[in-house]
Amino acid sequence: MRGTRSTATPSRPRVLLVTHHYPPEHGAPQRRWDTLTPRLLEAGVDVAVLTPPPHYPTGRLQDARAAYRPGSVSRGRHGERVVRTRFRPHAADLLSRTIDQAVAAGSAVVLGLRFFRHRPERPDVVVGTVPGIPSMFAAWLLARALRARLVIEMRDAWPDLIEPSGVLDARRSLTSRLLAGARAVVHRAVSRLQARADAVVTTTETFAQVLLERGVRHVAVVRNGTSFQPLTADDAPEPDPRDSDALPPARPLRAVYAGTVGRAQDLQSVVRAAANVARRGLPLDVRIVGAGARVPFLENLAAELDAPVTFVGPVPHEEVRRYYAWADTVVVSLRDWKPLEWTVPSKLYEVMASGAYATACVAGEAAALVSRSGAGSVVPPGDVDALTELWSGWASSGTVPEADPLAARWVAENADDDVLAERYLDLLGSLVGPLRATEGAR
């Protein structure tokens, strides 16, 4: 879809966001727009949102108040107009989640036409975010119907992640072969929509280059951001009288992972490495903080291997700081899937900003960033032996390196929320006219 903007742009440009994830939910996609929205509003951009009621990550409605009922219209905490779509309660499996995303996307089209088809409310730009994939198709339909520009925001390397992630797995049976055909259709559809969008937003330079090489004409890089501040003495948890400040043998080496516990994070390699270190007689304490579909599997694996891993569950964001201060190293982990080499997990920016030393089980752009900035030690994804050796060395010597201050400076210069808002405003300005953040947004 190209060149279909409204003939008369209002004095305040209008953006309509179609997303499956939005506050008051918590997560990386939710945080991204929770920080972008007030800065766009301060710059004179009207923001409206089509999104389901809060139901992430459980799949069940989190709040039954009237403002979250499907079809309701309310104001978000920054003053943005929020229209809540229908959704389908879901379980952790892929099919159930995909149906939920499709229901929400279909509802977004219906409600979008109902509330935004008249000229005073009609958007200049429709932004569709991924995940989930159906949101981008809903955004495309709305952009065409409302004669608006289309921006597709790819937070991950879709459609390339379809095959390695196991989405529409096609390894066996007639059903699987049918799913293989569906996978190919989805891959082509996503690629064509990326090519037809007026702009595609990626969060990394690497994936932007991939899309440019595929013929996508306008690609903008707006990284994920963080407001995480360096750790201080106030963040330290209450001392355990059984512990010492010294590393082993006085106390175990401490490692923490805090974030989504899913397939893409490959935390089974962390559990296996922890078990290996323990078998060598070296004290180790690993904490996995967060929720996700892989928690039951990992709990069973840790019990089977007698791994020194504790599963904490989700905690408030302020509590994450205490876990970072408690740990000697913070784990950032991704699977060894090729498309994940084109991504940088938002959690890495947080760790770099905190000043904690990272154990980075990543490749590609993320690994290069860690190495260049001195943010931590890089281990190839899925390499259990390499991770075992790294942690064993620290546990044996009683020392863990310190992160280079360059890492926190890099985040301040490249992943600061105000910097990212300026880049989004530049993108919108290229579509509807020059925009700049006001002093109030800084």
Side-chain angles (χ1 to χ4, degrees), residues 362-412:
V362 295
E365 184 167 336
L369 175 57
V370 173
S371 297
R372 287 197 311 267
S373 66
S377 295
V378 175
V379 175
D383 194 333
V384 175
D385 291 340
L387 182 55
T388 300
E389 293 303 322
L390 179 69
W391 281 353
S392 295
W394 292 343
S396 297
S397 66
T399 58
V400 175
E402 292 186 0
D404 192 317
L406 175 63
R409 289 201 300 271
W410 188 96
V411 172

Side-chain angles (χ1 to χ4, degrees), residues 234-286:
D234 292 337
D235 296 311
E238 291 296 323
D240 188 327
R242 297 169 297 178
D243 284 348
S244 164
D245 287 337
L247 279 175
R251 65 162 176 82
L253 174 71
R254 298 167 176 167
V256 68
Y257 170 86
T260 302
V261 186
R263 291 188 67 206
Q265 285 71 42
D266 190 33
L267 294 177
Q268 65 189 41
S269 295
V270 172
V271 172
R272 294 184 185 280
N276 290 345
V277 173
R279 288 192 197 102
R280 296 181 179 185
L282 297 169
L284 176 67
D285 185 353
V286 179

Side-chain angles (χ1 to χ4, degrees), residues 36-177:
L36 277 173
T37 295
R39 289 163 172 83
L40 297 185
L41 292 169
E42 288 282 358
V45 179
D46 280 342
V47 179
V49 186
L50 284 162
T51 190
H55 65 296
Y56 173 86
T58 63
R60 297 291 183 268
L61 183 65
Q62 296 177 3
D63 194 322
R65 73 182 71 179
Y68 298 138
R69 292 174 186 164
S72 66
V73 183
S74 62
R75 290 289 175 181
R77 69 191 190 101
H78 306 296
E80 72 276 24
R81 187 181 183 189
V82 182
V83 179
R84 295 289 175 174
T85 69
R86 294 187 179 277
F87 79 107
R88 182 183 183 274
H90 66 80
D93 63 282
L94 173 65
L95 178 60
S96 179
R97 288 186 286 116
T98 301
I99 293 173
D100 169 43
Q101 293 173 3
V103 167
S107 179
V109 174
V110 173
L111 293 172
L113 294 176
R114 179 190 303 174
F115 287 104
F116 300 102
R117 71 178 184 273
H118 300 298
R119 186 167 300 280
E121 303 295 333
R122 189 179 298 168
D124 298 287
V125 179
V126 178
V127 180
T129 68
V130 179
I133 289 179
S135 295
M136 67 187 294
F137 292 98
W140 172 68
L141 288 171
L142 286 169
R144 287 184 63 88
L146 301 174
R147 301 192 300 277
R149 297 293 186 111
L150 174 64
V151 174
I152 298 297
E153 186 175 85
M154 309 300 299
R155 295 194 65 260
D156 294 303
W158 298 101
D160 301 83
L161 277 171
I162 291 175
E163 184 170 357
S165 68
V167 176
L168 305 179
D169 193 359
R171 289 176 292 181
R172 57 189 179 277
S173 80
L174 175 61
T175 300
S176 293
R177 289 196 294 274

Side-chain angles (χ1 to χ4, degrees), residues 5 9-16 33 36-47 123-127 149 151 418-439 441-442:
R5 63 182 293 188
T9 301
S11 57
R12 285 178 64 90
R14 297 181 181 276
V15 170
L16 176 60
W33 279 94
L36 277 173
T37 295
R39 289 163 172 83
L40 297 185
L41 292 169
E42 288 282 358
V45 179
D46 280 342
V47 179
D124 298 287
V125 179
V126 178
V127 180
R149 297 293 186 111
V151 174
D418 287 334
V419 171
L420 300 179
E422 287 281 3
R423 292 176 183 170
Y424 229 104
L425 287 166
D426 286 341
L427 168 64
L428 296 175
S430 71
L431 301 177
V432 302
L435 301 167
R436 301 301 296 174
T438 64
E439 289 302 315
R442 297 180 187 276

Side-chain angles (χ1 to χ4, degrees), residues 164-238:
S165 68
V167 176
L168 305 179
D169 193 359
R171 289 176 292 181
R172 57 189 179 277
S173 80
L174 175 61
T175 300
S176 293
R177 289 196 294 274
L178 292 175
L179 289 176
R183 183 179 66 197
V185 169
V186 172
H187 194 290
R188 287 196 297 270
V190 172
S191 295
R192 290 185 66 181
L193 197 52
Q194 289 170 340
R196 292 184 176 187
D198 294 290
V200 176
V201 174
T202 72
T203 58
T204 64
E205 298 284 353
T206 309
F207 189 45
Q209 186 60 39
V210 169
L211 293 179
L212 288 170
E213 291 172 356
R214 292 176 180 173
V216 178
R217 295 195 311 178
H218 186 183
V219 182
V221 179
V222 182
R223 294 183 180 273
N224 290 315
T226 183
S227 58
F228 213 94
Q229 297 298 310
L231 298 172
T232 68
D234 292 337
D235 296 311
E238 291 296 323

Side-chain angles (χ1 to χ4, degrees), residues 263-341:
R263 291 188 67 206
Q265 285 71 42
D266 190 33
L267 294 177
Q268 65 189 41
S269 295
V270 172
V271 172
R272 294 184 185 280
N276 290 345
V277 173
R279 288 192 197 102
R280 296 181 179 185
L282 297 169
L284 176 67
D285 185 353
V286 179
R287 308 283 172 92
I288 294 180
V289 181
R294 296 288 278 179
V295 169
F297 167 78
L298 294 170
E299 287 177 332
N300 290 335
L301 181 63
E304 176 187 335
L305 299 177
D306 196 22
V309 179
T310 302
F311 295 86
V312 177
V315 301
H317 195 257
E318 57 271 16
E319 190 68 17
V320 171
R321 297 184 62 86
R322 296 200 176 276
Y323 278 100
Y324 283 9
W326 167 85
D328 300 304
T329 184
V330 179
V331 177
V332 179
S333 179
L334 291 175
R335 283 184 95 93
D336 58 346
W337 296 340
K338 181 64 177 178
L340 291 181
E341 296 182 15

